[in-house]
């Protein structure tokens, strides 16, 4: 769960054992939770891992959900601007393996975000920077992490 610093809201992601990711939004003004959208791209095989994350851009207050894509080597992201969602957009990164662990973190006093993922099979750790308009500077951090049973980075 992540909280907005500019609006009285929170976003939560729930990943079920059958691989369904459900995104919910809490409106602190009305004290109501709503189901925003869901996806099955993570799949049941990858449901034991956290193949998604949520972060708010610090200046604009927009929120991004980054999650494992249906095709190997792909991620999807969906941006909430406080009123509506952009819809799923594809991000192709690194090797052609599913992302087991996904981490998304905001840069302080900026709209930049940093994403890091741990890939299945290759166990590659890959990072890429969101500039608030585009993904840049993608790079492999580690060619092969020790294991996939836990997130090997923070």
């Amino acid at each position: 769960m992540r909280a907005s610093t500019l609006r009285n809201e929170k976003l939560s992601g729930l990943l079920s054992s059958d691989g369904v990711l459900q995104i919910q939004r809490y409106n602190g003004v009305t004290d109501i939770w709503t189901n925003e959208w869901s996806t099955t791209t993570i799949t049941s095989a990858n449901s034991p891992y956290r193949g998604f994350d949520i972060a708010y851009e610090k200046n604009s207050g927009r929120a991004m959900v980054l999650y494992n894509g249906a095709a190997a080597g792909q991620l999807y992201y969906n941006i909430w601007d406080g009123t509506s969602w952009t819809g799923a957009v594809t991000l192709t990164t690194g090797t052609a393996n599913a992302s087991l662990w996904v981490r998304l973190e905001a840069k302080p006093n900026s709209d930049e975000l940093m994403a890091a993922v741990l890939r299945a099979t290759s166990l590659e750790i890959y990072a890429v920077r969101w500039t608030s308009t585009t993904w840049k500077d993608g790079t492999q951090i580690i060619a092969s992490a020790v294991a996939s049973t836990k997130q090997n980075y923070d």
Side-chain angles (χ1 to χ4, degrees):
M1 180 182 312
R2 298 287 177 119
S4 171
T5 57
L6 300 180
R7 290 185 300 277
N8 191 354
E9 74 175 24
K10 296 176 183 170
L11 289 176
S12 175
L14 305 167
L15 181 59
S16 64
S17 61
D18 60 355
V20 176
L21 172 62
Q22 176 68 54
I23 300 300
Q24 298 178 327
R25 184 174 54 88
Y26 174 73
N27 182 326
V29 175
T30 62
D31 196 30
I32 295 174
W33 282 95
T34 56
N35 290 326
E36 295 292 305
W37 53 271
S38 65
T39 182
T40 59
T41 62
I42 293 177
T43 75
S44 61
N46 293 329
S47 67
Y49 313 100
R50 197 193 69 238
F52 76 95
D53 206 358
I54 302 167
Y56 279 89
E57 295 174 339
K58 296 300 182 186
N59 293 337
S60 71
R62 295 187 316 169
M64 178 185 288
V65 179
L66 181 66
Y67 56 99
N68 188 20
Q74 288 186 342
L75 295 165
Y76 295 119
Y77 62 98
N78 202 336
I79 296 174
W80 167 253
D81 65 8
T83 304
S84 61
W85 292 93
T86 58
V89 180
T90 303
L91 167 64
T92 302
T93 60
T95 61
N97 290 291
S99 298
L100 299 177
W101 298 97
V102 174
R103 180 84 166 125
L104 189 61
E105 201 57 47
K107 181 179 180 179
N109 303 313
S110 168
D111 281 342
E112 290 187 13
L113 304 174
M114 180 60 75
V117 299
L118 174 66
R119 300 290 192 184
T121 311
S122 69
L123 300 182
E124 168 194 44
I125 296 178
Y126 185 86
V128 62
R129 179 174 61 98
W130 171 253
T131 67
S132 85
T133 57
T134 189
W135 292 99
K136 291 183 74 169
D137 306 324
T139 189
Q140 181 186 75
I141 303 297
I142 295 176
S144 183
V146 177
S148 65
T149 53
K150 63 180 181 176
Q151 182 175 302
N152 292 287
Y153 58 90
D154 191 25

